[in-house]
Amino acid sequence: MDAALPPAREVLRAFGVSGVPVLLPGGRGLTWRAGDVVLRPAEPDEETTWKSEALSRLPESSAFTVPTPLRDDAGEWIRDGWEALRWVPGAADPTRVGDVVRAGLAFQEALAGHPEPGFIARAEHAWARADLLAWGEPDRDAALLAADPLLAALAAEYRGVDAPSQVVHADLLGNVLFAPGRPPAVIDWAPYWRPAGFSAAVAVADAVCWHAHPVKRLAEDFGIGRWRQLLLRALVFRMATLHLLGRWDDADARRHAPVVHAVIALDG
């Protein structure tokens, strides 16, 4: 879908939208806002439909909110490749790591009863492949762990994680919005089937690697069991994704090396 083209008028009418769409900054440059409605290209239909159904049924919470998904005039979640959600105010703040983690954990607790959706296991994009590597599951990219000394050092520390899996949001740090007087808004749900604490570990790893969160705070576990093991996997997940996307370079190695060594040195 061309990022320069807004949703067609027929799509806007179908979702009850009036006004001229304005391209929103950030993300993939594909999201538009018209009034209090946000429209963006749908993920594969199965994923968009599943997430829309799940989000539409979430109970209200004082710990988090989500953008309400909207049906079109035919009662469907997708129209001509577009989905629509109610706009929520706020801005991401990657320095509020604790608040991001707490909002994400509350969001996931509300979703804990959902069975694993089939589209997660069938995904073949770089993030899904990196997730398999992070959890030591058979994968065509397993040789990558041996090829990169930082990844190999992390994987050598793996021990079991005795925690149930559920649907999680594995990209929280930039996708929790804060606005005065409102619960944090969890947006752009990236669903994976992993222990709930994995999402927190990814957020903390992202904060330390990319947003100057102090390395010494890696040990703050938010009461999550097997924290060190989750951090090891979070780093493999993020680093392997960069490799698989062809974006890993010497600067990334220098950025991640001290974080890798700090996590390996943690107790637990």
Side-chain angles (χ1 to χ4, degrees):
M1 188 173 290
D2 191 333
L5 295 178
R9 290 183 181 178
E10 192 278 334
V11 172
L12 299 177
R13 286 195 298 268
F15 285 113
V17 177
S18 59
V20 178
V22 176
L23 186 65
L24 294 176
R28 295 177 297 161
L30 299 173
T31 303
W32 298 77
R33 179 184 174 191
D36 66 348
V37 175
V38 171
L39 298 106
R40 64 185 184 190
E43 302 291 346
D45 287 4
E46 180 186 5
E47 180 175 342
T48 295
T49 299
W50 188 92
K51 289 195 296 187
S52 297
E53 291 285 354
L55 292 175
S56 68
R57 296 173 181 172
L58 282 179
E60 289 192 13
S61 171
S62 61
F64 73 94
T65 188
V66 296
T68 302
L70 303 175
R71 295 184 186 270
D72 69 6
D73 55 9
E76 302 294 336
W77 296 117
I78 302 169
R79 185 65 162 257
D80 293 345
W82 292 87
E83 64 173 321
L85 304 101
R86 191 71 63 193
W87 178 77
V88 293
D93 186 346
T95 69
R96 295 178 62 171
V97 179
D99 292 331
V100 167
V101 167
R102 285 184 283 272
L105 290 175
F107 169 69
Q108 292 171 175
E109 184 178 358
L111 290 162
H114 286 274
E116 181 181 6
F119 64 81
I120 291 180
R122 290 193 293 272
E124 295 187 348
H125 50 68
W127 293 266
R129 291 162 58 190
D131 172 68
L132 293 176
L133 281 173
W135 287 89
E137 298 179 5
D139 185 77
R140 62 187 175 186
D141 303 302
L144 181 58
L145 292 179
D148 184 304
L150 292 176
L151 290 176
L154 290 165
E157 297 294 318
Y158 277 12
R159 304 294 183 270
V161 177
D162 184 17
S165 290
Q166 67 156 90
V167 181
V168 301
H169 188 327
D171 192 20
L172 283 171
L173 191 64
N175 289 313
V176 176
L177 309 183
F178 299 97
R182 295 176 57 91
V186 180
I187 66 169
D188 287 353
W189 182 9
Y192 291 79
W193 187 253
R194 296 301 175 198
F198 182 58
S199 65
V202 173
V204 170
D206 286 349
V208 175
C209 290
W210 298 98
H211 298 283
H213 192 59
V215 171
K216 65 182 180 181
R217 298 189 67 179
L218 283 166
E220 296 179 4
D221 62 10
F222 303 94
I224 297 168
R226 305 297 282 167
W227 180 243
R228 178 175 177 270
Q229 288 297 316
L230 293 172
L231 283 175
L232 293 169
R233 288 160 171 80
L235 284 169
V236 171
F237 173 53
R238 286 309 204 201
M239 294 162 61
T241 299
L242 290 174
H243 275 285
L244 293 169
L245 291 171
R247 298 177 185 172
W248 182 265
D249 58 22
D250 290 344
D252 288 311
R254 290 191 297 271
R255 176 188 297 276
H256 286 81
V259 185
V260 167
H261 298 315
V263 169
I264 289 173
L266 291 175
D267 293 330

